[in-house]
Amino acid sequence: MRKATRNFILAITLILLSLVEVISGFVLWLAFPKCGAGAGRDWQGGDGGTLTFGTIPRDTWIDIHDWAAVALLVVVIIHVILHWQWIVHMSKSLVKRAP
């Protein structure tokens, strides 16, 4: 695989995982109530059912958010490893320019 193709796939993967993180984070933040008094109780809607956003329950949103974060971390680590020589080169060039 060409280096440019690999970097393109890596960038698209980072963007998509970031979007999943942001969207699931906003859903969890805005669509579901915060834990407060009685936080030990199950999360239930007014009709006694499980809280959902769309057709997806809160616990599934949490799983999506958590696993997307893990995947994003792995892809960021791969990104840093693949670009390590560039990072070292740029760091050295910046240190040389410093007065």
Side-chain angles (χ1 to χ4, degrees):
M1 177 183 304
R2 289 181 31 218
K3 189 175 180 180
T5 304
R6 181 195 70 202
N7 289 341
F8 178 76
I9 292 169
L10 192 63
I12 294 299
T13 304
L14 285 169
I15 290 168
L16 292 175
L17 287 170
S18 297
L19 283 174
V20 171
E21 269 299 287
V22 168
I23 291 167
S24 63
F26 274 115
V27 167
L28 289 169
W29 179 45
L30 297 173
F32 297 107
K34 304 261 188 285
C35 288
R41 295 181 298 185
D42 290 336
W43 290 86
Q44 295 183 342
D47 61 353
T50 303
L51 283 178
T52 61
F53 182 78
T55 59
I56 303 173
R58 178 184 178 272
D59 291 338
T60 304
W61 278 108
I62 291 172
D63 289 341
I64 291 168
H65 188 70
D66 291 349
W67 284 108
V70 171
L72 186 59
L73 178 64
V74 169
V75 174
V76 166
I77 290 169
I78 292 169
H79 177 76
V80 170
I81 290 169
L82 292 175
H83 291 86
W84 186 250
Q85 291 300 319
W86 181 84
I87 293 168
V88 169
H89 177 73
M90 291 303 294
S91 299
K92 285 180 180 178
S93 68
L94 289 174
V95 169
K96 287 180 184 177
R97 284 189 211 166

